[in-house]
């Protein structure tokens, strides 16, 4: 996953200019541009939090995208060494995502978290998909073809939508801001007034060499369509970027059955 | 300047900046641009409020003898600011925005200019000006001051509302840029006119101004481009570079001041000729912006505020005049641009939004007014009225914009790409569906004939892998994932390469091939779906199974190629009785004539019982599809035969390369899901066959406009409902 590319994707989708966001979080636009291009080091925890606040997405989500063990966790482990032992226990049992989700559910039930907004759960990706909207093993020569295939599947789920118009919509957004978030994943997205959110997933049998932010060839396309602009949409985009960071493309690569793809995805995102 | 004066100036600066920032907070809360706050702060510190409430305090804070210093500071600030405005002005905005922006920007200058000039000439000159002001200068000045649009305020409002990328924002900003340049040119002219004592001087000034502009464009601009390239490539923006640009800027401002068209014009001009590519403009803007905008610009506002005396408007008539000026200003600017925008095809809502945006006068108006006051063209009373007008028109922009162009509306327009221009007259798109390698070469030959010499077709080759086969293929060819799909597509691609065609290949795993073919055809907006046929294992018919499903679902023409070693498309036979499939077949044949110079023979079969009339009808239909100029290579053969199928078969044996035939019972080609018997024409015809199916209620491709009208382009069910509304 490429934090900079993800930040740019979210920023553009939130309708903010580089200068705007830079001004609001109190950095120079040159710095922010360097971060988005991955030339500068990822922003510090405080800056990420400020960016998350301006974009109106949970800070934890961005932190996850950045793959940062937050200093908050480090500090807590230092203060309460017993917690460290617990972590070790978890590590020794090699709990999978699904099992961790159960631990998490137990924690939620036992010690509910009372905190201000900004911490509501991130909507998962899997429910937006269905086997009909998963295309496996696409090989094509051009990114546009992948978008067209995704649009074809999406159109089937959106009554009254024309695949070509959807493909056009995806392409337009792509022109506005490249949707590659690194680790071989791209998140093209389009807006269809009033539509319920829906997604299509395309795995590529032959990775596409595009100029990705981190130089990795494209292996997975997650196309999102949304009927509303705003927080939920941004959170979905960021969530996919986070999944990309957790190796989504690697895990799905080579799977031949759409159902298998969905199961893997559910497992991967069980712990959000 | 003695030390006391310096202390005085520092206190003034502190007060000005603090007050304008404080009021700025309030303005933000109201959703107003900062400019409003700064102007209001200036007025509040001036005689209108502070001087009225506590004359002593104002005297102490802004004594008359300190005014010259304040004025100088304000002027320097303005020079820097106008430079920044010029920097922000991207020439790309002025060019290539098309018809709409040109029309809107022109009418948004001409209408208010005319209104302002008329009001000045007929009414204000008598009531609010003195006879020692030249009539022409006053009238021209009123015209200019009415037609100003504040480029920076507009840009800021657009950015804050996230409208910069929208079509609306692009139009508004382009118009504002054009307005800006035009207004400043007119203003420079007016200033030169006022300052020059007689006509000869005015002419001289104009001449010098033109020389100056030429000098800037021909000599300074290339130099700056080189400087910009250096900054972009190597050292970045060093202090030396900043020094050079500042010296040039001041020199440019000084030149225009000496010529007699005011220093502001020079600063603006210099900013405008700095190259916007590379980092130079952006870096300069970043360095200078804070000093100019935060420190110096408020001084200018305070200075204008100090000269604004609301007290001068002491009679109801004066306020009435002020009101009329505001109404005229809005009428001219809003009306002029909104009507023009509507006429260029925007919706009323968008056109209104453009009008509201263009009505923003902001600080540019203040600059113009101060100029007028300095030159003595307008009286302090009129100055005050116009300042109020500028404030009101700027103030009303944001709320009115919200009212007319709500965030929801905006979000829709922004993301929905509503202003999608009618789809570009795209070239002919063919989707080649290959299920088996052996169909490939024939399809390549046919696509070559369809796309012609100039390769005027987009060709996409689609191969769908069945889930079981892909698993198997994976086991065998795990090393090369492309091989699994490449296998079937390779013959087609190989042949296409030899023929000089570029085909984009596409393959994926699909459990419902027919539906995926339809979806892909839809997404690609394919004009023709070409299916390859190879001998199936069980069923004998060509038109069964997947082919049948595709024909049922695709919204366009579908053709199945039965390949018998098709290597060229020279002689083409089209049996014709006149069904919609036959017409589509003729359409395809027409394309073959046009693109590949094929010879087409149309075989029109009439029933033996029919007497004469059928022949005429058939000829008419053929001629309708083949205009006279193309008719040369089309032969029409009329045959009377009891069985059209027989007749077609007989003719097909006469050495044709390709028989293009529409589906239909006449030819023994019925579209059905299952069939045991292979279609006779397919079995017995020696040539390659192209079986054409055309859905109901869709238009025949390659048709003439006349037909489109007579047939009526019935809306297809697959049209998007929401996307283009």
């Amino acid at each position: 996953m490429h934090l900079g590319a993800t930040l740019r994707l979210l920023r553009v989708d939130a309708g903010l200019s580089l200068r705007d966001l830079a001004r609001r979080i109190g950095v120079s636009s040159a710095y922010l541009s360097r971060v988005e291009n991955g030339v500068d080091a990822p922003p510090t925890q405080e800056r990420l939090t400020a960016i998350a606040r301006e974009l109106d997405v949970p800070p934890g989500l961005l932190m996850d995208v950045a793959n940062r063990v937050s200093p908050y966790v480090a500090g807590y482990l230092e203060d309460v060494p017993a917690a460290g032992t617990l972590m070790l226990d978890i590590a020794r049992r090699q709990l999978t995502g699904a099992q961790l989700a159960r631990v998490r559910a137990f924690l939620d039930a036992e010690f509910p978290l009372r905190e201000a907004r900004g911490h509501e759960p991130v909507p998962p990706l899997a429910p937006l998909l269905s086997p009909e909207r998963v295309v496996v093993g696409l090989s094509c020569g051009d990114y546009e073809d992948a978008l067209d295939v995704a649009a074809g599947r999406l159109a089937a789920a959106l009554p009254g939508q024309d695949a070509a118009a959807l493909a056009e919509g995806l392409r337009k957004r792509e022109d506005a801001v490249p949707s590659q978030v690194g680790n071989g994943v791209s998140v093209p997205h389009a807006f269809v007034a009033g539509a319920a959110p829906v997604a299509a997933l395309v795995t590529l049998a032959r990775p596409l060499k595009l100029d990705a932010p981190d130089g990795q060839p494209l292996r997975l396309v997650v196309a999102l369509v949304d009927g509303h602009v705003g927080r939920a949409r941004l959170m979905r985009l960021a969530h996919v970027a986070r999944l990309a960071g957790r190796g989504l493309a690697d895990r799905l690569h080579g799977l031949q059955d759409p159902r298998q793809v969905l199961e893997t995805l559910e497992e991967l995102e069980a712990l959000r | 300047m003695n030390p006391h004066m310096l202390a005085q100036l520092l206190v003034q600066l502190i007060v000005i900046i603090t007050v304008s920032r404080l009021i700025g907070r309030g303005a933000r809360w109201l959703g107003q641009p900062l400019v409003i706050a700064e102007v209001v702060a200036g007025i509040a510190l001036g005689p209108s409020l502070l001087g009225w409430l506590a004359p002593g305090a104002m005297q102490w804070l802004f004594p008359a003898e300190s005014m010259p210093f304040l004025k100088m500071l304000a002027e320097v600030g303005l020079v820097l600011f106008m430079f920044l405005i010029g920097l922000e002005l991207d020439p790309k905005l002025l060019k290539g925005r098309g018809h709409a922006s040109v029309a809107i920007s022109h009418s948004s200058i001409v209408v208010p200019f005319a209104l302002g000039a008329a009001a000045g000439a007929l009414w204000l000159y008598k009531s609010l000006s003195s006879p020692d002001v030249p009539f022409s200068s006053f009238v021209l000045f009123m015209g200019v001051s009415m037609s100003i649009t504040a480029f920076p305020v507009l840009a800021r409002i657009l950015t804050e509302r996230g409208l910069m990328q929208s079509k609306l924002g692009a139009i508004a900003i382009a118009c504002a840029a054009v307005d800006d340049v035009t207004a400043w040119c007119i203003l420079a002219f007016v200033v030169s006119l006022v300052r020059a004592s007689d006509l000869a001087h005015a002419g001289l000034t104009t001449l010098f101004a033109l020389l100056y502009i030429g000098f800037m464009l021909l000599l300074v601009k290339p130099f700056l481009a080189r400087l910009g390239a250096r900054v972009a490539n190597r050292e970045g923006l060093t202090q030396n570079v900043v020094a050079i640009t500042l010296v040039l800027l001041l020199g440019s401002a000084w030149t225009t001041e000496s010529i007699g068209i005011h220093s502001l014009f020079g600063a603006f001009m210099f900013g405008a000729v700095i190259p916007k590519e590379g980092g130079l403009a952006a870096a300069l803007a970043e360095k200078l912006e804070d000093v100019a905008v935060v420190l110096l610009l408020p001084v200018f506002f305070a200075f204008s505020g100090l000269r604004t005396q609301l007290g001068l408007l002491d009679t109801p008539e004066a306020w009435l005049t002020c009101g009329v000026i505001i109404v005229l200003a809005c009428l001219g600017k809003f009306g002029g641009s909104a009507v023009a925008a509507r006429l260029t095809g925007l919706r009323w809502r968008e056109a209104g939004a453009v009008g509201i945006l263009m009505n923003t006068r902001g600080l540019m108006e203040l600059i113009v007014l101060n100029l007028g006051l300095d030159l003595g063209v307008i009286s302090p009373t009129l100055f005050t009225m116009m300042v109020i007008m500028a404030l009101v028109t700027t103030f009303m922009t944001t709320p009115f914009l919200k009212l007319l162009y709500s965030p929801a509306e905006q979000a829709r327009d922004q993301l929905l790409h509503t202003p999608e221009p009618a789809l570009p007259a795209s070239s002919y798109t063919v989707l080649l569906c290959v299920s088996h390698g052996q169909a490939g070469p024939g399809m390549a030959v046919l696509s070559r004939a369809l796309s012609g010499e100039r390769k005027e077709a987009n060709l996409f080759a689609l191969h769908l892998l069945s889930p079981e086969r892909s698993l198997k293929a994976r086991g065998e060819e795990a090393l090369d994932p492309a091989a699994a799909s490449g296998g079937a597509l390779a013959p087609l691609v190989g042949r296409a390469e030899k023929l000089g065609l570029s085909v984009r290949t596409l393959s994926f795993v699909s459990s419902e091939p027919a539906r995926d073919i339809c979806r892909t055809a839809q997404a690609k907006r394919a004009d023709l779906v070409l299916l390859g046929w190879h001998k199936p294992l069980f069923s004998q018919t060509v038109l069964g199974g997947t082919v049948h499903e595709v024909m049922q679902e695709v919204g366009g023409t579908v053709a199945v190629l039965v390949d018998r070693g098709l290597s060229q498309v020279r002689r083409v036979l089209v049996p014709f009785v006149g069904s919609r499939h036959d017409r589509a077949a003729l359409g395809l044949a027409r394309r073959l004539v046009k693109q590949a110079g094929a010879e087409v023979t149309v075989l029109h079969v009439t029933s033996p019982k029919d007497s004469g009339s059928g022949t005429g009808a058939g000829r008419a239909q053929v001629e309708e599809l083949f205009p006279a100029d193309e008719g040369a290579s089309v032969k029409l053969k009329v045959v009377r035969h009891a069985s059209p199928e027989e007749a077609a078969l007989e003719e097909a044996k006469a050495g044709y390369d390709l028989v293009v035939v529409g589906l239909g019972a006449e030819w023994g080609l019925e579209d059905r899901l299952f069939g045991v018997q292979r279609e006779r024409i397919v079995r017995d015809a020696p040539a390659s066959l192209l079986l054409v199916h055309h859905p109901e209620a869709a238009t025949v491709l390659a048709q003439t406009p006349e037909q489109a009208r007579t047939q009526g382009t019935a809306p297809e069910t697959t049209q998007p409902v929401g996307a283009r509304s």
Side-chain angles (χ1 to χ4, degrees), chain B residues 541-543 551 560 562 575 579 581-582 645 648 659-672 677-683 689-693:
Chain B
T541 88
V542 173
L543 300 169
M551 284 181 172
V560 184
V562 180
S579 71
H581 306 302
D582 285 354
E645 195 179 359
V659 180
V660 184
V661 56
L663 255 60
E666 304 88 351
W667 318 113
L669 295 170
E670 271 152 303
D671 176 18
R672 64 192 160 208
Q677 198 70 44
R678 179 110 65 94
E679 291 82 354
R680 185 155 166 244
I681 197 164
V682 173
R683 193 182 59 208
L689 284 166
L690 190 62
L691 314 179
V692 182
H693 173 272

Coordinates of all heavy atoms in Angstrom, one line a residue, chain B residues 541-543 551 560 562 575 579 581-582 645 648 659-672 677-683 689-693:
Chain B
T541 N -26.3 -27.1 -34.8 CA -26.7 -25.8 -35.3 C -25.7 -24.7 -35.0 O -25.0 -24.8 -34.0 CB -28.1 -25.3 -34.8 OG1 -27.8 -24.6 -33.6 CG2 -29.0 -26.5 -34.5
V542 N -25.6 -23.7 -35.8 CA -24.7 -22.6 -35.6 C -25.4 -21.6 -34.6 O -24.7 -21.0 -33.7 CB -24.5 -21.8 -36.9 CG1 -23.7 -20.5 -36.6 CG2 -23.7 -22.7 -37.8
L543 N -26.7 -21.5 -34.7 CA -27.4 -20.5 -34.0 C -27.9 -20.9 -32.6 O -28.8 -20.2 -32.1 CB -28.5 -19.9 -34.8 CG -28.0 -19.4 -36.2 CD1 -29.2 -19.1 -37.1 CD2 -27.2 -18.1 -36.0
M551 N -27.4 -13.2 -29.0 CA -28.3 -12.5 -29.9 C -29.5 -12.0 -29.2 O -30.1 -10.9 -29.5 CB -28.8 -13.5 -31.0 CG -27.7 -13.7 -32.0 SD -28.2 -14.8 -33.3 CE -26.8 -14.6 -34.4
V560 N -22.2 -13.8 -36.7 CA -21.5 -15.1 -36.5 C -20.7 -15.4 -37.8 O -21.3 -15.4 -38.9 CB -22.4 -16.2 -36.2 CG1 -21.6 -17.5 -35.8 CG2 -23.4 -15.9 -35.1
V562 N -18.9 -18.0 -40.0 CA -18.6 -19.4 -40.3 C -17.5 -19.4 -41.3 O -17.6 -19.0 -42.4 CB -19.8 -20.1 -40.8 CG1 -19.5 -21.5 -41.1 CG2 -21.0 -20.0 -39.9
P575 N -27.8 -11.9 -49.8 CA -29.2 -12.3 -50.2 C -30.1 -11.3 -49.4 O -29.8 -11.0 -48.2 CB -29.3 -13.7 -49.7 CG -27.9 -14.2 -49.4 CD -27.1 -13.0 -49.0
S579 N -35.9 -8.0 -44.4 CA -36.1 -8.0 -43.0 C -35.1 -7.1 -42.3 O -34.2 -6.6 -42.9 CB -36.0 -9.4 -42.4 OG -34.6 -9.8 -42.4
H581 N -32.9 -7.9 -40.2 CA -31.6 -8.6 -40.2 C -30.9 -8.4 -41.6 O -29.7 -8.2 -41.6 CB -31.8 -10.1 -39.9 CG -32.5 -10.4 -38.7 ND1 -32.1 -9.9 -37.4 CD2 -33.7 -11.0 -38.4 CE1 -33.0 -10.3 -36.5 NE2 -33.9 -11.0 -37.1
D582 N -31.8 -8.5 -42.6 CA -31.2 -8.3 -44.0 C -30.6 -6.9 -44.1 O -29.6 -6.7 -44.7 CB -32.3 -8.5 -45.0 CG -32.6 -10.0 -45.2 OD1 -31.9 -10.8 -44.6 OD2 -33.6 -10.3 -45.9
E645 N -34.2 -19.7 -50.1 CA -33.0 -20.4 -49.6 C -32.2 -21.1 -50.8 O -31.0 -21.0 -50.9 CB -33.5 -21.5 -48.6 CG -32.4 -22.0 -47.8 CD -33.0 -23.1 -46.8 OE1 -34.2 -23.3 -46.8 OE2 -32.2 -23.6 -46.1
A648 N -30.5 -18.5 -53.0 CA -29.3 -18.0 -52.4 C -28.2 -19.0 -52.5 O -27.0 -18.6 -52.8 CB -29.6 -17.6 -50.9
V659 N -20.5 -14.7 -47.8 CA -21.9 -14.4 -47.9 C -22.4 -13.8 -46.7 O -22.2 -14.4 -45.6 CB -22.6 -15.8 -48.2 CG1 -24.1 -15.5 -48.3 CG2 -22.1 -16.5 -49.4
V660 N -22.9 -12.6 -46.8 CA -23.4 -11.9 -45.6 C -24.9 -12.1 -45.6 O -25.6 -11.6 -46.5 CB -23.1 -10.4 -45.6 CG1 -23.5 -9.8 -44.3 CG2 -21.6 -10.3 -45.7
V661 N -25.5 -12.8 -44.6 CA -26.9 -13.1 -44.7 C -27.6 -12.8 -43.4 O -27.1 -13.1 -42.3 CB -27.1 -14.5 -45.1 CG1 -26.4 -15.5 -44.2 CG2 -28.6 -14.9 -45.2
G662 N -28.7 -12.1 -43.5 CA -29.5 -11.8 -42.2 C -30.2 -13.1 -41.8 O -30.5 -14.0 -42.6
L663 N -30.5 -13.1 -40.5 CA -31.2 -14.3 -40.0 C -32.6 -14.2 -40.6 O -33.2 -13.2 -40.9 CB -31.3 -14.2 -38.5 CG -30.4 -15.2 -37.7 CD1 -29.0 -14.9 -38.2 CD2 -30.5 -15.0 -36.3
G664 N -33.3 -15.3 -40.6 CA -34.7 -15.3 -41.0 C -35.1 -16.7 -41.6 O -34.2 -17.4 -42.1
A665 N -36.3 -16.9 -41.5 CA -36.9 -18.2 -42.0 C -36.6 -18.4 -43.5 O -36.5 -19.5 -44.0 CB -38.3 -18.3 -41.7
E666 N -36.6 -17.3 -44.2 CA -36.5 -17.4 -45.7 C -35.2 -18.1 -46.0 O -35.1 -18.8 -47.0 CB -36.4 -16.0 -46.3 CG -37.6 -15.1 -46.0 CD -37.3 -14.3 -44.7 OE1 -36.3 -14.6 -44.0 OE2 -38.1 -13.4 -44.4
W667 N -34.2 -17.8 -45.2 CA -32.9 -18.4 -45.5 C -32.6 -19.7 -44.7 O -31.5 -20.2 -44.6 CB -31.7 -17.5 -45.2 CG -32.0 -16.1 -45.7 CD1 -32.2 -15.0 -44.9 CD2 -32.1 -15.6 -47.1 NE1 -32.5 -13.9 -45.7 CE2 -32.4 -14.3 -47.0 CE3 -32.1 -16.3 -48.3 CZ2 -32.6 -13.5 -48.2 CZ3 -32.3 -15.5 -49.4 CH2 -32.6 -14.1 -49.4
G668 N -33.7 -20.1 -44.0 CA -33.5 -21.3 -43.2 C -32.7 -21.1 -42.0 O -32.0 -21.9 -41.5
L669 N -32.7 -19.8 -41.6 CA -31.8 -19.5 -40.4 C -32.8 -19.0 -39.3 O -33.2 -17.8 -39.4 CB -30.8 -18.4 -40.8 CG -29.8 -18.8 -41.8 CD1 -29.0 -17.5 -42.2 CD2 -28.8 -19.8 -41.2
E670 N -33.1 -19.8 -38.4 CA -34.0 -19.4 -37.4 C -33.2 -19.4 -36.1 O -32.4 -20.3 -35.8 CB -35.2 -20.2 -37.3 CG -36.3 -19.7 -38.1 CD -37.2 -20.8 -38.6 OE1 -36.8 -21.7 -39.2 OE2 -38.4 -20.7 -38.3
D671 N -33.4 -18.4 -35.3 CA -32.7 -18.2 -34.1 C -33.4 -19.0 -33.0 O -34.5 -18.7 -32.6 CB -32.7 -16.7 -33.8 CG -32.1 -16.4 -32.5 OD1 -31.3 -17.2 -32.0 OD2 -32.4 -15.3 -32.0
R672 N -32.8 -20.1 -32.6 CA -33.4 -20.9 -31.5 C -32.4 -21.5 -30.7 O -31.2 -21.6 -31.1 CB -34.3 -21.9 -32.1 CG -33.5 -22.9 -33.0 CD -34.4 -23.8 -33.8 NE -33.5 -24.3 -34.9 CZ -34.0 -24.7 -36.0 NH1 -35.2 -24.5 -36.3 NH2 -33.1 -25.2 -36.9
Q677 N -30.5 -30.2 -36.5 CA -30.1 -30.1 -37.9 C -29.3 -28.9 -38.1 O -29.7 -27.8 -37.6 CB -31.4 -30.0 -38.7 CG -31.2 -30.3 -40.2 CD -30.9 -31.8 -40.3 OE1 -31.6 -32.7 -39.7 NE2 -29.9 -32.2 -41.1
R678 N -28.1 -29.0 -38.7 CA -27.4 -27.9 -39.1 C -28.1 -27.1 -40.1 O -28.7 -27.7 -41.0 CB -26.0 -28.3 -39.6 CG -25.1 -27.2 -40.0 CD -23.9 -27.0 -39.1 NE -23.1 -28.2 -39.1 CZ -22.0 -28.2 -39.9 NH1 -21.7 -27.2 -40.7 NH2 -21.2 -29.2 -39.9
E679 N -28.1 -25.8 -40.1 CA -28.8 -25.0 -41.0 C -28.2 -25.3 -42.4 O -27.0 -25.4 -42.6 CB -28.6 -23.5 -40.7 CG -29.2 -23.0 -39.5 CD -28.4 -23.3 -38.2 OE1 -27.4 -24.0 -38.3 OE2 -28.9 -22.9 -37.1
R680 N -29.1 -25.4 -43.4 CA -28.7 -25.9 -44.7 C -27.7 -25.0 -45.4 O -26.7 -25.4 -45.9 CB -30.0 -26.1 -45.5 CG -29.7 -26.7 -46.8 CD -30.9 -27.4 -47.4 NE -30.6 -27.7 -48.8 CZ -31.2 -27.1 -49.8 NH1 -32.2 -26.4 -49.6 NH2 -30.8 -27.4 -51.0
I681 N -28.0 -23.7 -45.3 CA -27.2 -22.8 -46.0 C -25.8 -22.8 -45.4 O -24.8 -22.7 -46.1 CB -27.8 -21.4 -46.0 CG1 -27.2 -20.5 -47.0 CG2 -27.7 -20.7 -44.6 CD1 -28.0 -19.2 -47.3
V682 N -25.7 -23.1 -44.1 CA -24.4 -23.2 -43.5 C -23.7 -24.4 -44.0 O -22.5 -24.4 -44.2 CB -24.5 -23.1 -42.0 CG1 -23.2 -23.4 -41.3 CG2 -25.1 -21.8 -41.5
R683 N -24.5 -25.5 -44.1 CA -23.9 -26.7 -44.5 C -23.4 -26.7 -45.9 O -22.3 -27.2 -46.2 CB -24.9 -27.8 -44.2 CG -24.4 -29.3 -44.3 CD -25.5 -30.2 -44.1 NE -26.5 -30.1 -45.2 CZ -27.8 -30.3 -45.0 NH1 -28.3 -30.8 -43.9 NH2 -28.6 -30.2 -46.1
L689 N -19.4 -17.7 -44.4 CA -20.7 -17.0 -44.1 C -20.6 -16.1 -42.9 O -19.9 -16.3 -42.0 CB -21.7 -18.1 -43.8 CG -22.2 -19.0 -44.9 CD1 -22.9 -20.2 -44.3 CD2 -23.2 -18.2 -45.8
L690 N -21.3 -15.0 -43.1 CA -21.5 -14.1 -41.9 C -23.0 -14.0 -41.6 O -23.7 -13.5 -42.5 CB -20.9 -12.8 -42.3 CG -20.7 -11.8 -41.1 CD1 -19.8 -12.4 -40.1 CD2 -20.2 -10.5 -41.6
L691 N -23.4 -14.6 -40.5 CA -24.8 -14.6 -40.2 C -25.1 -13.4 -39.3 O -24.5 -13.2 -38.3 CB -25.2 -15.9 -39.5 CG -24.7 -17.1 -40.1 CD1 -25.1 -18.4 -39.3 CD2 -25.2 -17.3 -41.6
V692 N -26.0 -12.5 -39.7 CA -26.2 -11.3 -39.0 C -27.6 -11.2 -38.3 O -28.6 -11.6 -38.9 CB -26.2 -10.1 -40.1 CG1 -26.3 -8.8 -39.3 CG2 -24.9 -10.1 -40.8
H693 N -27.5 -10.8 -37.1 CA -28.8 -10.7 -36.3 C -28.8 -9.2 -35.8 O -27.9 -8.7 -35.4 CB -28.7 -11.6 -35.1 CG -29.9 -11.4 -34.2 ND1 -29.8 -10.5 -33.1 CD2 -31.1 -12.0 -34.1 CE1 -30.9 -10.5 -32.5 NE2 -31.7 -11.4 -33.0

